[in-house]
Amino acid sequence: MDKALDILKQYYGYSSFREGQEEIIREILNGNDVLTIMPTGGGKSICYQVPAILLEGITIVISPLISLMKDQVDNINNLGIKSAYINSSLSNIEINNILDEAARNEIKILYVAPERLESQAFLELIASINVSMVAIDEAHCVSQWGHDFRSSYRRISRVIALLRNRPIVTAFTATATDEVREDIINLLELNNPKIFISGFDRKNLKIIIEKGVNKKNYTLDYISNNRNESGIIYASTRKEVDNLYELLNSKGLQVEKYHAGLSDDYRKTAQENFIYDKCNIIIATNAFGMGIDKPNVRYVIHYNMPKNIEGYYQEIGRAGRDGEESECIMLFSPGDVQTQKYIIETATESSVRKESELSKLQTMINLVYTQDCYRKFILNYFGEQYDEKCNNCSNCEAPGELVDKSVDAQKVISCVYRMNQRFGIGMVVDVLRGSKNKKVYELGFDELSTYGIVKNYTKDALVEFINMLISHGYLNYKGEYPVLTLNKQSMEIVRGERQVFVKEQIVKKIKIEENELFTILKELRMDISREEKIPPYMIFGDSTLKELSNRMPITDEQFLDISGVGNSKLNKYGEKFMEKIKAYINENNIEVKWSFISKKNSNISFDEVLDKEKEKKKKEKNNNEEKKKSYEVTMDFIKAGSSIKEIAKERELTLVTIMSHIQQYITEGNKIDFEIPLDEFFNDEEEKMVLDAIDKVGYNKLKDIKEVVPEEITYDAIRAIVLKKVINEVNV
Ligand code: ADP
């Protein structure tokens, strides 16, 4: 296990295992089959990747997520683990190359789609090499009872039986009821497996269910309050996805959409743009997301109620994989129930399955209606004991003040009663608000005592209010063409035996602390992402950037102490990031007091690090620039006609440092009577915008300027424009 911990540190840059991981890895290394049920984002991959590195032969990972295999494999290759994938997106030549590499023992982890198990060439290969482990991801796909049945999963056990030596077989899934669990063990023929069910609770996810809100306004408000965050919006039909996409697009928001009606190419691009942070929002049906391991999804909005708790919990699990606070919001309206029933009716043939799906739907509806802690309800559903209140769901927290709306509710209920319980929400609202609608007159509803008695609500607000009454079960609203009818609770309200309290709704902004350095490092990450064509999170996750910007490491040793930095990442990116950090420290005159958090893994002392660093600096100073002041060297380059970017490259300094040299040159009282090539950083329009911003907020802090100009204008551009302004002023 010490070796396992070393690998965790060296490759992944994490200092300790998460709950469950250590025991699972120990069992695998002891040669036991394992079934692991762990929530999305819990950290399943590490459970098979770490033993894969330690075991002698190759590990084959079977995964149904073809579209994501490339990302997964790029990601672990980037950590320095030799891996590859085979699926239908590759040409035969490419596949043969990989098979050859595997045969030569050059691959440690090979991802394959289950369909590959039908290929003769593949079967021949694995029969001839040393397969130490077969890891089956999304193992619930083997079961008809699960929600993603894949028939090719049924072939896995037969293929394993073909191997020379039976490998360790490990199965992983995020959701499994008892039936599915049994199926996984039996159909995958796990051999006396150790079963690990880690807690399903994802503490960092705030569960919010909103009943009777205006979905459009709510969503628009929420998005505009969280403009810089990544989020997924799920809707239950393609049409709803299209409509929402149009709406958000028309508001000028960068969004993508994803559903089964779009071409493969379209979906692929949409998904990539989302993963690469090129757009913040993706609107999708439940076709999107299996295996999306983008860690910085800050919110998931369910625009409609999903059809079962398994699917719902898996979808919200895509938020906050990096462990940071994230929000999951379900916007419920009674129409969602009709939609889901319709989908179940039309898409399910077997009557047994239909019944099972309808009963799952009912549990979902019960979740929405519960007045108790939502987390408790969900965890209990998955068979987990959870009795306390979580204080991180909208029922526990109940934001806003409770207002007694019993009288308004009585008015609505009596109106429904007087209209003979035969009409939908629209008509009831018309009568209550005293509408001059022709149909209201024709039916004689203007004669009712409840005609026009609720005038202090707008139409939308009253629709919302009635929806709220329905969702709390105070009125019934059922059937293919739903009409409002009374139930026991409605009568209690009318008789004054039950009060109706409504919570005022507050749309909150997620608090993410971003300092200037964080933004600078994020820009650097984006540049590298473009250059290397890998998603930003594969370089460093948000939490790593956050730690970098708070702790500001400037030596290799310190950099390695940051969570999420392993050896491979240090070698690839350390220098670039530390350069930015050093420049930031210099520029802002910051004194960094460094202390190691995971000291146990570093075998040299802090003092030694400092000494080394000092020595290195001394050497640099002596060798370079023959004792001439650094800024003077920069100015010599400029006078010789070099551009700032060229100088930065030549001197291996950052652009910020070079610009600070120019600044220093001016501060020392030197006159500038030669051309300073600053225009390469901006165009006229950008210059104008920044100068306008300076008029408003001054230029003491670049951050203030950055906040008021369009996002595309970089810090480098702002810095250059400020510098140009200063030079002009000095010359005047
Ligand atoms: P799952 O497959 O269970 O949905 P992943 O394996 O994708 O989850 O892990 C989710 C996130 O948690 C990843 O960003 C991963 O790097 C991170 N993670 C996993 N194990 C640890 C650990 N021991 N320490 C810190 N982060 C971890």
Side-chain angles (χ1 to χ4, degrees):
M1 283 314 289
D2 283 350
K3 278 193 192 152
L5 194 61
D6 276 353
I7 285 184
L8 186 73
K9 178 71 199 164
Q10 263 181 42
Y11 287 87
Y12 300 84
Y14 297 137
S15 52
S16 60
F17 285 112
R18 283 195 186 154
E19 214 180 302
Q21 286 176 330
E22 194 171 349
E23 292 73 39
I24 295 165
I25 292 172
R26 180 175 297 122
E27 287 303 333
I28 298 175
L29 292 176
N30 282 339
N32 290 318
D33 282 4
V34 157
L35 163 60
T36 296
I37 301 162
M38 201 185 252
T40 314
K44 286 185 282 296
S45 329
I46 279 181
C47 295
Y48 58 81
Q49 287 167 3
V50 169
I53 298 169
L54 285 170
L55 292 169
E56 217 171 67
I58 191 171
T59 286
I60 294 184
V61 181
I62 299 175
S63 162
L65 315 169
I66 297 187
S67 59
L68 285 154
M69 258 178 209
K70 183 172 178 311
D71 275 357
Q72 287 175 329
V73 167
D74 284 351
N75 203 4
I76 49 178
N77 273 327
N78 209 28
L79 297 172
I81 303 165
K82 188 79 188 96
S83 57
Y85 65 95
I86 302 184
N87 64 32
S88 50
S89 73
L90 300 184
S91 68
N92 278 338
I93 298 178
E94 287 169 316
I95 292 177
N96 286 336
N97 283 343
I98 292 169
L99 292 180
D100 286 347
E101 274 178 15
R104 288 197 303 268
N105 234 337
E106 285 167 9
I107 292 175
K108 219 43 214 164
I109 305 182
L110 180 63
Y111 280 75
V112 298
E115 290 73 26
R116 195 53 38 191
L117 305 179
E118 284 164 63
S119 139
Q120 196 54 35
F122 180 74
L123 293 179
E124 275 167 21
L125 167 85
I126 60 170
S128 70
I129 58 177
N130 178 14
V131 179
S132 49
M133 171 163 59
V134 173
I136 300 144
D137 205 4
E138 312 290 348
H140 62 276
C141 291
V142 78
S143 170
Q144 289 256 25
W145 302 108
H147 45 101
D148 299 302
F149 174 58
R150 304 286 171 111
S151 56
S152 46
Y153 263 60
R154 291 282 167 93
R155 214 167 293 121
I156 295 176
S157 59
R158 263 177 280 154
V159 172
I160 290 175
L162 291 178
L163 299 176
R164 257 188 310 181
N165 299 314
R166 184 181 183 281
I168 303 164
V169 183
T170 55
F172 298 85
T173 175
T175 56
T177 54
D178 288 344
E179 293 155 322
V180 176
R181 209 173 293 169
E182 284 302 306
D183 271 1
I184 293 176
I185 296 172
N186 295 330
L187 299 170
L188 293 176
E189 295 181 18
L190 298 184
N191 184 3
N192 204 4
K194 304 282 174 198
I195 301 175
F196 293 92
I197 303 170
S198 36
F200 265 63
D201 192 7
R202 296 277 312 280
K203 293 190 180 62
N204 62 322
L205 301 187
K206 178 179 292 260
I207 301 172
I208 299 167
I209 300 182
E210 295 286 359
K211 291 167 281 193
V213 297
N214 180 315
K215 297 188 183 196
K216 269 187 204 156
N217 294 345
Y218 187 101
T219 308
L220 287 171
D221 274 358
Y222 188 88
I223 292 174
S224 70
N225 276 329
N226 296 290
R227 226 164 233 281
N228 295 324
E229 311 303 339
S230 267
I232 305 175
I233 304 179
Y234 281 108
S236 50
T237 62
R238 296 176 193 182
K239 197 162 152 241
E240 189 105 71
V241 170
D242 290 336
N243 291 343
L244 208 48
Y245 175 80
E246 292 304 324
L247 175 75
L248 299 193
N249 234 341
S250 73
K251 304 281 175 194
L253 292 161
Q254 284 275 344
V255 289
E256 288 290 352
K257 62 176 173 174
Y258 189 107
H259 60 61
L262 300 163
S263 70
D264 284 353
D265 279 351
Y266 188 101
R267 279 187 292 173
K268 191 162 164 255
T269 315
Q271 181 162 314
E272 263 178 27
N273 285 343
F274 182 62
I275 290 177
Y276 281 69
D277 286 347
K278 285 182 189 158
C279 76
N280 275 338
I281 303 166
I282 190 155
I283 309 165
T285 58
N286 61 4
F288 173 76
M290 228 233 279
I292 282 286
D293 34 19
K294 182 175 160 67
N296 64 337
V297 174
R298 286 279 76 84
Y299 62 87
V300 168
I301 295 180
H302 278 91
Y303 201 74
N304 306 103
M305 177 188 69
K307 68 174 193 268
N308 55 45
I309 292 190
E310 285 88 344
Y312 167 66
Y313 203 58
Q314 194 171 48
E315 281 156 13
I316 67 172
R318 288 172 193 139
R321 276 170 170 248
D322 52 11
E324 302 281 317
E325 297 290 312
S326 309
E327 297 195 330
C328 310
I329 301 156
M330 189 205 300
L331 304 177
F332 171 82
S333 73
D336 294 341
V337 178
Q338 305 314 124
T339 313
Q340 292 300 3
K341 279 193 176 151
Y342 176 81
I343 294 174
I344 293 173
E345 288 295 335
T346 48
T348 323
E349 272 171 27
S350 135
S351 62
V352 184
R353 260 192 86 117
K354 195 178 279 182
E355 205 170 300
S356 141
E357 295 214 2
L358 284 171
S359 121
K360 284 186 174 176
L361 175 63
Q362 189 52 49
T363 319
M364 187 75 222
I365 300 169
N366 294 345
L367 168 71
V368 172
Y369 284 164
T370 185
Q371 303 270 343
D372 206 354
C373 170
Y374 290 128
R375 194 177 306 271
K376 179 174 158 191
F377 186 102
I378 295 169
L379 294 178
N380 289 348
Y381 174 75
F382 287 119
E384 206 171 300
Q385 193 82 15
Y386 189 94
D387 293 325
E388 64 257 58
K389 286 181 106 196
C390 74
N391 290 324
N392 197 21
C393 77
S394 54
N395 267 355
C396 282
E397 280 199 335
E401 284 199 8
L402 283 180
V403 190
D404 186 347
K405 294 281 180 191
S406 305
V407 174
D408 290 342
Q410 287 170 345
K411 289 177 181 170
V412 174
I413 294 167
S414 13
C415 189
V416 171
Y417 177 73
R418 288 188 164 74
M419 290 166 71
N420 292 326
Q421 311 185 51
R422 284 178 37 228
F423 295 88
I425 299 175
M427 195 65 178
V428 173
V429 167
D430 277 351
V431 174
L432 283 166
R433 297 185 70 247
S435 153
K436 305 228 169 350
N437 180 335
K438 224 164 92 194
K439 202 159 170 213
V440 173
Y441 288 120
E442 277 169 17
L443 291 162
F445 288 155
D446 55 324
E447 311 269 317
L448 296 180
S449 58
T450 52
Y451 179 74
I453 56 165
V454 184
K455 280 195 170 144
N456 55 334
Y457 278 68
T458 63
K459 194 169 180 175
D460 280 350
L462 191 53
V463 170
E464 264 181 49
F465 182 65
I466 295 179
N467 274 333
M468 190 278 302
L469 293 177
I470 299 164
S471 51
H472 281 267
Y474 299 150
L475 277 170
N476 287 345
Y477 190 63
K478 285 189 188 135
E480 205 177 339
Y481 304 99
V483 295
L484 287 165
T485 57
L486 308 196
N487 58 28
K488 198 164 141 257
Q489 301 198 64
S490 340
M491 297 318 293
E492 289 168 0
I493 292 167
V494 174
R495 289 198 297 265
E497 293 161 9
R498 179 187 282 272
Q499 283 175 298
V500 176
F501 285 97
V502 175
K503 280 165 210 158
E504 263 175 15
Q505 173 214 338
I506 296 171
V507 179
K508 272 195 17 219
K509 192 172 164 143
I510 309 174
K511 264 194 274 125
I512 295 261
E513 284 166 35
E514 287 197 8
N515 55 32
E516 189 188 345
L517 181 56
F518 182 86
T519 320
I520 294 172
L521 299 183
K522 215 164 148 185
E523 274 173 16
L524 172 63
R525 181 177 69 173
M526 198 50 147
D527 289 345
I528 300 177
S529 150
R530 281 199 204 100
E531 230 168 75
E532 298 193 355
K533 298 197 171 50
I534 56 173
Y537 76 79
M538 278 190 200
I539 299 157
F540 288 125
D542 281 2
S543 31
T544 303
L545 283 197
K546 211 162 149 195
E547 199 177 325
L548 285 172
S549 65
N550 286 330
R551 295 180 63 205
M552 305 191 200
I554 48 167
T555 67
D556 286 1
E557 198 63 15
Q558 294 173 350
F559 204 79
L560 266 179
D561 199 50
I562 302 290
S563 176
V565 182
N567 289 337
S568 158
K569 297 248 176 123
L570 169 72
N571 291 338
K572 277 195 183 147
Y573 310 121
E575 215 179 304
K576 284 187 178 160
F577 279 83
M578 284 191 280
E579 229 177 63
K580 291 273 182 204
I581 294 171
K582 284 181 198 159
Y584 184 79
I585 291 176
N586 286 339
E587 198 184 355
N588 293 286
N589 248 329
I590 295 170
E591 199 191 318
V592 182
K593 290 214 172 66
W594 182 268
S595 62
F596 281 96
I597 290 180
S598 52
K599 191 112 194 261
K600 63 177 185 305
N601 288 312
S602 70
N603 41 20
I604 57 173
S605 76
F606 186 41
D607 287 343
E608 279 174 281
V609 174
L610 283 186
D611 285 348
K612 263 196 191 164
E613 183 72 0
K614 266 191 221 143
E615 221 171 85
K616 206 167 127 199
K617 281 219 174 104
K618 233 197 224 157
K619 252 193 215 157
E620 267 171 22
K621 230 179 173 174
N622 290 342
N623 293 346
N624 287 352
E625 304 150 15
E626 311 131 14
K627 297 197 188 85
K628 203 170 188 184
K629 282 189 189 141
S630 185
Y631 79 88
E632 289 174 355
V633 180
T634 294
M635 297 317 289
D636 287 348
F637 272 102
I638 290 181
K639 286 177 198 162
S642 302
S643 81
I644 290 178
K645 284 183 185 160
E646 283 162 0
I647 304 172
K649 201 165 167 216
E650 177 66 32
R651 302 199 59 204
E652 296 186 0
L653 293 170
T654 63
L655 295 172
V656 182
T657 308
I658 302 297
M659 285 198 238
S660 75
H661 287 166
I662 304 172
Q663 176 79 44
Q664 197 178 353
Y665 184 80
I666 302 169
T667 319
E668 303 270 323
N670 295 301
K671 217 174 141 38
I672 296 198
D673 45 10
F674 46 89
E675 181 74 15
I676 306 261
L678 289 164
D679 292 355
E680 61 178 320
F681 293 100
F682 50 83
N683 58 35
D684 289 353
E685 199 187 334
E686 287 167 341
E687 183 176 10
K688 189 173 169 316
M689 282 193 273
V690 171
L691 289 175
D692 285 349
I694 291 176
D695 282 344
K696 283 191 215 115
V697 300
Y699 56 84
N700 282 344
K701 281 195 191 149
L702 298 188
K703 185 163 179 266
D704 294 344
I705 303 175
K706 175 81 178 150
E707 268 167 15
V708 294
V709 298
E711 219 175 312
E712 310 81 75
I713 303 189
T714 60
Y715 270 107
D716 285 336
I718 297 174
R719 212 166 262 125
I721 295 166
V722 169
L723 195 52
K724 186 173 168 189
K725 185 176 155 70
V726 172
I727 294 169
N728 287 340
E729 281 166 7
V730 170
N731 282 349
V732 166

